[in-house]
Amino acid sequence: MLIPNPLAQRGAYDAALQQVMNIAQARESRRRLSHWSLLNPGATPVWQLPQLARRLSVGQISVKDESTRSPLGSFKVLGAPIALLRLIQRRWPGKTFTPQDLLAGRHAQDLQGFVVISATDGNHGRALAAAAQSMGCRCVIVLHAHVSVEREAPIAAFGAEIVRVTGNYDDSVQEAARLAAANGWQVVSDTSYAGYEEIPRDVMQGYAAIVDELLEPEADAAPCPYTHVILQGGVGGLAAGIVSYFWERYGARRPSFIVVEPEQADCLCQSARLGRPAMASGSVDSVMAGLACGETSPLAWRFLQPAVDFFVTVSDEQAVEAMRALASGEAGDVPVLSGESGAAGLAALKVLAGSPELRRQTGLGADSHVLLISTEGATAPAAYAQLTGHTAPSVLAAQAGWLASTEVSAKISEQAPMDRMARKAKVGTLTPNQGASTA
């Protein structure tokens, strides 16, 4: 299902929105987190899929691979940790807590009585638990009935206390808020609600660091290298962080934004239909666990409503097929380790590119350069293997083999013209006698 957004704008970035999220803060978030030992140094890779692009009749497909961002395996490591870092600095304004010292645990004594809590489908809670452990504060994570034991274990491994509730993600959000109010704890959530926007803003601002890294080599005056950016939905936080950066940087020259959701967790599609933050129309439960959200974040919607051009839904089956396509290196491209939510962008692209009418509506064509963000790797390894038929190590081994063979091929290709030039130069210096046959 494709929902065009009639309220999407093409113009300068809204000044009021810029006061909330902006490029300067995205860069500052990136700088602060660079001190954390759980973040891998350097940029995450951007994979090119030229063979798949040809199959789908688009010019280029680029995949930003967030599975390598951290041992935690997802982009969420950019959100909860920076929000917690800024929260602590606001909470103790008289202290000279530097990001480097906080992330190294040098103020754990000061923070031992500080408790943070959040609901999660897995990745956000894992990132918050890891950050809390590094900084030395206590962490409580609320999990709903559909979060697997496999996703619970890594959260508990970072020392978080687990609270289980019946129901879905939205029920766990309500329980986290109740426990926080009852115990004087601090909610660190990626979704906003009335009176609670500062921390979700910081979470979303952290996600914008992905684009800051991605566009770093580009000159400020250069045109946007992408015509289309397909982003995962959920409550809207990732999409809002990414959209805000592109919009501020390129203004009217921004790319077309498409947001994808599970069919049964379509709160953003329903928001686009109604023109306001809305609830999902389905059961919410989805194999795309990170996107199984039933209610739009009002703060995120302030950025999405004026900027996202289209909202689209995909089925669980389509997401799994996209996972398999990435894992196998469909059509001869590099294999990519992408989890259930991570592959949703490719699932959406296949739906759109496969329909002449949807291609026309979204402007996809032979010159389109599509950016996808693979937001997670195999964060639930057993589920990943069951869904794709591949283990995470086997995909990474295939990726390494593909890269090695490509490097060898590139060296051969580089050498071939040199060999031809050398032979030509040698022939050019021969005299008739030297070149004559002795037979």
Side-chain angles (χ1 to χ4, degrees), residues 67-412:
S67 72
T68 68
R69 176 72 61 188
S70 158
L72 278 65
S74 90
F75 79 103
K76 293 283 188 175
V77 77
L78 295 172
I82 191 63
L84 179 56
L85 190 64
R86 286 181 167 152
L87 170 64
I88 290 171
Q89 290 179 313
R90 287 193 299 268
R91 182 67 66 92
W92 285 272
K95 299 282 189 178
T96 55
F97 291 163
T98 67
Q100 189 167 3
D101 285 344
L102 282 170
L103 291 166
R106 298 190 184 105
H107 298 291
Q109 187 71 25
D110 297 286
L111 302 177
Q112 61 182 349
F114 183 51
V115 184
V116 293
I117 184 172
S118 184
T120 187
D121 280 306
N123 291 335
H124 173 80
R126 190 177 181 186
L128 179 61
Q133 186 182 72
S134 292
M135 296 185 212
C137 57
R138 182 180 160 205
C139 180
V140 179
I141 296 297
V142 183
L143 302 178
H144 59 86
H146 304 299
V147 178
S148 67
V149 173
E150 186 179 22
R151 292 188 183 277
E152 175 185 339
I155 300 172
F158 283 110
E161 300 168 38
I162 305 298
V163 175
R164 279 279 185 177
V165 298
T166 58
N168 58 28
Y169 173 74
D170 300 294
D171 296 309
S172 64
V173 170
Q174 293 174 14
E175 179 63 8
R178 188 193 69 78
L179 287 171
N183 295 284
W185 301 340
Q186 177 62 61
V187 175
V188 179
S189 174
D190 56 355
T191 189
S192 66
Y193 42 84
Y196 181 77
E197 290 194 345
E198 194 170 39
I199 290 172
R201 175 207 64 196
D202 290 340
V203 171
M204 296 190 301
Q205 193 71 85
Y207 299 155
I210 294 172
V211 197
D212 190 61
E213 178 182 283
L214 183 69
L215 297 176
E216 193 169 46
E218 300 289 334
D220 286 341
C224 182
Y226 309 103
T227 61
H228 297 73
V229 179
I230 303 180
L231 298 165
Q232 288 83 341
V235 299
L238 169 69
I242 301 299
V243 160
S244 67
Y245 192 111
F246 272 108
W247 191 7
E248 180 179 352
R249 178 148 179 179
Y250 295 108
R253 300 177 296 120
R254 67 166 178 81
S256 293
F257 295 118
I258 301 169
V259 168
V260 56
E261 302 178 282
E263 290 176 341
Q264 62 272 47
D266 60 345
C267 59
L268 298 177
C269 283
Q270 295 305 318
S271 299
R273 283 182 180 276
L274 299 173
R276 57 174 173 77
M279 302 286 292
S281 63
S283 65
V284 178
D285 185 30
S286 169
V287 70
M288 293 168 270
L291 306 182
C293 305
E295 188 170 0
T296 299
S297 169
L299 177 60
W301 187 246
R302 286 168 55 190
F303 293 85
L304 302 183
Q305 185 175 49
V308 175
D309 300 283
F310 301 94
F311 296 86
V312 64
T313 59
V314 295
S315 68
D316 283 0
E317 292 75 15
Q318 288 165 333
V320 172
E321 192 280 327
M323 292 172 66
R324 293 171 180 155
L326 289 167
S328 64
E330 185 172 276
D333 291 319
V334 59
V336 178
L337 184 67
S338 185
E340 304 88 29
S341 298
L346 178 58
L349 177 58
K350 286 192 165 191
V351 169
L352 299 174
S355 163
E357 176 56 24
L358 296 183
R359 289 176 70 93
R360 184 194 65 77
Q361 287 188 56
T362 56
L364 283 171
D367 296 328
S368 298
H369 185 174
V370 183
L371 172 65
L372 308 176
I373 299 179
S374 179
T375 52
E376 63 176 2
T379 52
Y384 179 87
Q386 182 179 13
L387 291 170
T388 65
H390 301 273
T391 64
S394 71
V395 174
L396 294 177
Q399 184 183 94
W402 187 94
L403 291 170
S405 65
T406 302
E407 185 178 349
V408 170
S409 298
K411 287 181 179 178
I412 293 173

